[in-house]
Amino acid sequence: MGTMDGTKRQRRGDTRQRIQDVALGLFAEQGYEKTSLREIAERLDVTKAALYYHFKTKEEILVSIFEDLTRPMDELIEWGKAQPHSLETKQEVLRRYSEALTGAAPLFQFMQENQATIRELSIGNQFKDRMLGMRDIIRDPDASLTDQVRCLSALFTMHAGMFVLQEDDGDPEDKRKAVLEVAIDLVTQAHAGTQSADPQTP
């Protein structure tokens, strides 16, 4: 009995996932505004009523994609807040963030290409809140302005690296590691600057 229930849940989950994948593909291909629920249903080869069973609007689909793909980031921010505000914590946060970004690459691609739409939807503010959460973990509020900019630049480097380097030839994993190395260097430099500015540092 329990197995049957689990199988039913799995089937429902697969349908939801298919809707998300097809919708995100269409959003990226022709833009969010120009994509209709009817087109999503047609691409899925289901009726509009069947699509309605899972999602009533395009925004519901987009919000569900955003929540699913950014859940690892939420968990990372919670983890980071509970750790000592040390260089090791910041470096580990960046490593984990690099992996989370890789998993959410299709969503970030869409957000990059549909910035005006994102600003108008609820996920725009949610994404901003996540970025502020990441910022607070990897920067020291008492650091010099230069070192705070280095920490923020580490985040921007990771985001920019996803888009700029994906157009280039080469192993995606090698590119991810290169971007992460630069981001960690920036945070390490910022931490060293803060330490040397602290008169209590031996």
Side-chain angles (χ1 to χ4, degrees):
M1 183 72 174
T3 305
M4 278 179 58
D5 287 347
T7 305
K8 285 178 185 173
R9 275 199 302 274
Q10 183 64 43
R11 275 206 301 271
R12 281 200 297 269
D14 288 347
T15 302
R16 186 175 182 274
Q17 180 75 54
R18 276 185 61 226
I19 294 170
Q20 290 176 329
D21 291 345
V22 166
L24 190 55
L26 281 169
F27 294 160
E29 187 182 308
Q30 58 192 34
Y32 176 82
E33 300 296 344
K34 294 179 182 175
T35 302
S36 67
L37 283 176
R38 179 180 54 76
E39 287 176 291
I40 296 169
E42 286 175 357
R43 183 71 65 95
L44 284 160
D45 198 22
V46 301
T47 64
K48 201 169 171 184
L51 182 59
Y52 262 51
Y53 175 76
H54 294 277
F55 300 104
K56 301 290 188 291
T57 65
K58 288 191 300 181
E59 185 169 359
E60 277 188 24
I61 300 175
L62 187 56
V63 168
S64 75
I65 294 168
F66 181 83
E67 288 174 347
D68 286 356
L69 291 179
T70 58
R71 191 167 294 119
M73 296 178 199
D74 292 339
E75 292 168 359
L76 173 58
I77 290 169
E78 287 307 307
W79 179 84
K81 286 178 178 175
Q83 304 306 308
H85 205 68
S86 64
L87 176 59
E88 291 72 22
T89 295
K90 296 171 192 175
Q91 291 173 337
E92 182 60 23
V93 164
L94 289 177
R95 287 188 197 97
R96 295 188 186 192
Y97 190 50
S98 175
E99 292 173 5
L101 282 176
T102 301
L107 175 65
F108 278 83
Q109 181 71 35
F110 165 78
M111 292 176 70
Q112 180 74 10
E113 294 169 0
N114 295 269
Q115 292 182 27
T117 299
I118 294 301
R119 278 195 294 271
E120 293 171 8
L121 300 176
S122 59
I123 62 173
N125 283 332
Q126 291 176 41
F127 182 72
K128 182 180 176 184
D129 290 342
R130 283 171 173 82
M131 288 303 93
L132 292 175
M134 287 292 297
R135 177 203 66 184
D136 291 344
I137 292 169
I138 67 165
R139 75 164 184 174
D140 291 299
D142 298 331
S144 70
L145 184 57
T146 301
D147 286 329
Q148 291 195 43
V149 170
R150 282 194 176 103
C151 288
L152 295 175
S153 296
L155 289 178
F156 292 136
T157 293
M158 297 181 82
H159 294 165
M162 284 180 59
F163 303 114
V164 176
L165 291 180
Q166 73 180 358
E167 303 297 329
D168 297 342
D169 294 332
D171 184 350
E173 181 62 11
D174 288 343
K175 290 186 276 190
R176 184 188 73 83
K177 287 178 179 176
V179 170
L180 176 59
E181 183 179 336
V182 172
I184 286 178
D185 280 350
L186 285 165
V187 168
T188 303
Q189 284 180 51
H191 186 81
T194 303
Q195 292 294 96
S196 62
D198 185 349
Q200 296 181 342
T201 304

